[in-house]
């Protein structure tokens, strides 16, 4: 799905965490508008954009982490003997191994394993897109060419309307289903 930089945000069932949990945002149940004609209209590429056709979806309440999973977070899972990173934390290039940077160089299976270890699961693409929306989209990290540079520390930029950081830029996120 993604070439080099991948991370995982994950959804946690409401039955496990209280509403006062400061690390997760509650996305309320409701009907949401997803998709956009931007890709087709602005990029003149209808084939590439076929999954972005505007549509309405209805979702139940869900919670999602406010921040991307960091190297430090993922390292706890590795130390517990559950997670197996493709490249050990210390062996990554220096500009990718800082504790508060989002975890990268993990595949989908590693991301899902981490989420299950934490008592959750990866969000579906529909949940992720819903959580990324809002009146305020939040800050973004687009100051480098694609596939160059290193990710910024998690939560460095302004949160979106849902209280989520880094939903636009920084690194890619895995979802439970195909995008």
């Amino acid at each position: 799905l993604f070439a080099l930089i991948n991370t995982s945000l994950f959804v946690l069932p409401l039955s496990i965490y209280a509403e006062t949990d400061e690390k997760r945002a509650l996305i309320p149940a409701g009907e949401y508008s997803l998709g956009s004609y931007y890709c087709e209209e602005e990029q003149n590429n209808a084939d590439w954009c076929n999954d972005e056709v505007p549509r309405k979806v209805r979702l139940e309440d869900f919670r999602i982490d406010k921040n991307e999973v960091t190297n430090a977070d993922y390292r706890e899972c590795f130390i517990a003997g559950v997670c197996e990173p493709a490249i050990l934390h210390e062996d990554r290039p220096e500009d990718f191994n800082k504790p508060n940077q989002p975890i990268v160089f993990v595949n989908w299976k590693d991301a899902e394993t981490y989420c299950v270890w934490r008592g959750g699961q990866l969000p579906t693409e529909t949940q992720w897109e819903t959580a990324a929306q809002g009146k305020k989209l939040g800050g973004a990290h687009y100051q480098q060419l694609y596939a160059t540079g290193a990710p910024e520390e998690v939560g460095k930029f302004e949160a979106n309307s849902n209280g989520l950081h880094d939903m636009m830029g920084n690194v890619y996120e895995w979802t439970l289903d195909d995008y």
Side-chain angles (χ1 to χ4, degrees):
L1 188 58
F2 299 112
L4 182 66
I5 299 178
N6 301 303
T7 99
S8 59
L9 287 174
F10 57 95
V11 175
L12 300 169
L14 286 172
S15 60
I16 294 177
Y17 296 96
E19 288 193 29
T20 57
D21 190 334
E22 293 181 16
K23 293 184 178 184
R24 291 164 193 87
L26 173 66
I27 307 300
E31 184 174 273
Y32 295 92
S33 296
L34 303 181
S36 169
Y37 286 116
Y38 170 80
C39 187
E40 184 177 341
E41 293 170 352
E42 299 296 323
Q43 305 299 319
N44 197 23
N45 189 346
D47 293 336
W48 182 66
C49 306
N50 62 359
D51 64 336
E52 290 299 320
V53 173
R55 64 205 183 280
K56 298 266 187 196
V57 297
R58 180 138 193 86
L59 290 174
E60 297 299 319
D61 288 354
F62 67 95
R63 290 188 176 281
I64 189 166
D65 280 0
K66 292 180 180 180
N67 292 301
E68 297 160 321
V69 176
T70 65
N71 285 320
D73 295 332
Y74 193 84
R75 184 171 176 77
E76 291 176 23
C77 184
F78 177 72
I79 290 170
V82 177
C83 294
E84 294 280 340
I87 301 173
L88 292 177
H89 181 82
E90 292 84 6
D91 295 335
R92 296 180 181 168
E94 186 176 321
D95 55 346
F96 287 92
N97 69 3
K98 296 178 180 90
N100 286 334
Q101 284 178 312
I103 184 73
V104 294
F105 304 112
V106 295
N107 61 35
W108 184 92
K109 186 176 181 294
D110 293 334
E112 180 64 7
T113 297
Y114 174 84
C115 293
V116 170
W117 177 71
R118 290 278 313 273
Q121 68 180 33
L122 288 165
T124 65
E125 187 272 333
T126 300
Q127 289 171 322
W128 189 92
E129 187 174 341
T130 299
Q133 292 182 353
K135 293 181 176 152
K136 181 176 75 172
L137 297 178
H141 176 56
Y142 290 120
Q143 299 171 346
Q144 298 176 13
L145 296 175
Y146 178 72
T148 66
E152 293 290 336
E153 285 195 7
V154 166
K156 179 178 177 179
F157 301 102
E158 181 182 19
N160 72 5
S161 307
N162 291 318
L164 306 176
H165 292 269
D166 306 316
M167 298 297 279
M168 294 177 43
N170 212 13
V171 295
Y172 291 115
E173 285 85 15
W174 286 112
T175 59
L176 186 61
D177 50 353
D178 291 337
Y179 170 69

